[in-house]
Amino acid sequence: MNSPVTIIGAGLGGLLLARVLHVNGIPSRVYEADPSPAARRQGGMLDIHDHNGQLALRAADLMDEFHAIVIEGRQTMRVLDTDGTVLMDKADDGGGRPEVMRGELRRMLLDSLPAGTVRWDHRASGVRALGKGGHEVTFACGCSVVTGLLVGADGAWSRVRPLLCDAVPEYAGTSFVETYLFEADTRHAAAAKAVGGGSMIAPSPGKEIFAHRESGATLHAYVQLTRERDWFAAIDFTDSAAATARIAQEFEGWAPELTALITDTDTAPVLRPHYALPTGLRWDRLPGVTLLGDAAHLTAPNGEGANLAMFDGAELGRALAAHLDDTEAALGAYEEAMFARPTADVVFDGAEVQGIDSEANTAQSLVDMITGPVR
């Protein structure tokens, strides 16, 4: 390769790709819209799976660094009924899904790259094909770059994807409302007891509450509802008290230690609508460009997104290293394997989880899927 690989987006997938390329002696440049690494919150806890995310980190030669940021004990898993009854309390058994903070994982990847690899404050504003596999990317700052190999790692609303297909994300029918409770063991003791030492889920048809105990005594909750976008649009999320009260109203009759994860939030509730690309999206091979992560196969949150993005990055990096003199062969092999991988199935400990709208989306059904029904 005569010029650095151009990667749009410094998310986990793009950075993992840059790291695997670096390990294999291939230069890259990552262009990121954020003005700095600390410009915005990087999200909460991630469980990094042994069958994809950890394989990616192994390819990046970062397993020791990864183990150093794992938060011990956070694989504890609780399932609660809506009345607060604990139906399952699964201890952290040191299994295959250790938990880390997304921000720490991103920092680890950034630290593993040569200085200057990531160009901050470069928001892609347009991409055009130049022919013979060349592409020009223009940025909001007024500058541009021409590249012979362009990788769109720029998420749901990718600027690179339109080069390959006309698909656009569509609303998936559900949204999260995200809350945080700080110093929970002393200030929100009932909610902290309900969540326990790791993660907690209280499912119900059409609605559920999922929470994580993050580093320290922070509880991070994702309140999921099946509602149309117009329903959420009618809620004034700039009025935190009114918004939390309206969301909590949908959980009337639930145990107060669960609804406290909504009403007692220490931050303004944040609406996170879910979007998805068509399942099984494919495109015809176009010389000099490809996609990874959410840019290629966005789904509603299912626990696999970050893991798959990193796995994509590792697989693309390995393919390029294996075909140094034939980039198109590398991209073709990478895309063929990526298209064949499932992205939408929700699986926990080998059990396929029911969709939120299923009548079987109950605490007991979830426990039965994980442990098997009591005989």
Side-chain angles (χ1 to χ4, degrees), residues 166-187:
D166 296 329
V168 295
E170 295 187 358
Y171 182 59
T174 61
S175 295
F176 282 151
V177 176
E178 188 178 19
T179 65
Y180 283 89
L181 279 64
F182 303 129
E183 301 173 18
D185 290 333
T186 54
R187 298 181 59 245

Side-chain angles (χ1 to χ4, degrees), residues 81-83 202-204 207-209 250-256 258-259:
D81 212 337
T82 59
D83 64 0
S204 178
K207 63 187 74 173
E208 60 189 28
I209 300 176
E250 297 301 300
F251 295 83
E252 185 176 356
W254 285 44
L258 293 176
T259 56

Side-chain angles (χ1 to χ4, degrees), residues 52-248:
N52 48 26
Q54 290 183 51
L55 295 180
L57 292 168
R58 196 173 301 281
D61 195 22
L62 289 172
M63 287 302 289
D64 288 344
E65 292 83 351
F66 167 67
H67 288 305
I69 64 171
V70 167
I71 303 179
E72 299 297 336
R74 293 307 194 266
Q75 290 187 75
T76 298
M77 170 70 175
R78 307 187 101 200
V79 179
L80 271 63
D81 212 337
T82 59
D83 64 0
T85 302
V86 178
L87 298 187
M88 189 188 80
D89 194 353
K90 185 174 182 287
D92 185 344
D93 58 2
R97 298 185 174 209
E99 301 270 1
V100 298
M101 295 297 296
R102 180 188 285 266
E104 285 296 293
L105 184 60
R106 188 185 194 223
R107 178 198 56 75
M108 181 193 80
L109 290 170
L110 286 168
D111 289 348
S112 75
L113 298 173
T117 298
V118 180
R119 307 298 172 88
W120 301 98
D121 205 15
H122 279 70
R123 180 179 297 278
S125 56
V127 183
R128 68 186 182 103
L130 302 176
K132 297 183 179 179
H135 294 86
E136 181 184 47
V137 184
T138 56
F139 300 98
C141 58
C143 57
S144 63
V145 62
V146 173
T147 181
L149 178 48
L150 175 64
V151 180
D154 47 344
W157 309 103
S158 172
R159 291 285 188 172
V160 179
R161 189 193 304 120
L163 289 170
L164 295 168
C165 63
D166 296 329
V168 295
E170 295 187 358
Y171 182 59
T174 61
S175 295
F176 282 151
V177 176
E178 188 178 19
T179 65
Y180 283 89
L181 279 64
F182 303 129
E183 301 173 18
D185 290 333
T186 54
R187 298 181 59 245
H188 308 285
K193 183 178 179 181
V195 173
S199 62
M200 182 280 298
I201 183 167
S204 178
K207 63 187 74 173
E208 60 189 28
I209 300 176
F210 179 82
H212 255 139
R213 178 182 289 267
E214 296 187 347
S215 53
T218 294
L219 303 182
H220 185 184
Y222 301 89
V223 180
Q224 184 169 205
L225 287 167
T226 300
R227 295 289 187 275
E228 294 300 320
R229 284 175 294 183
D230 289 347
W231 187 89
F232 289 103
I235 300 173
D236 181 6
F237 279 89
T238 64
D239 185 338
S240 295
T244 54
R246 181 66 189 89
I247 297 300

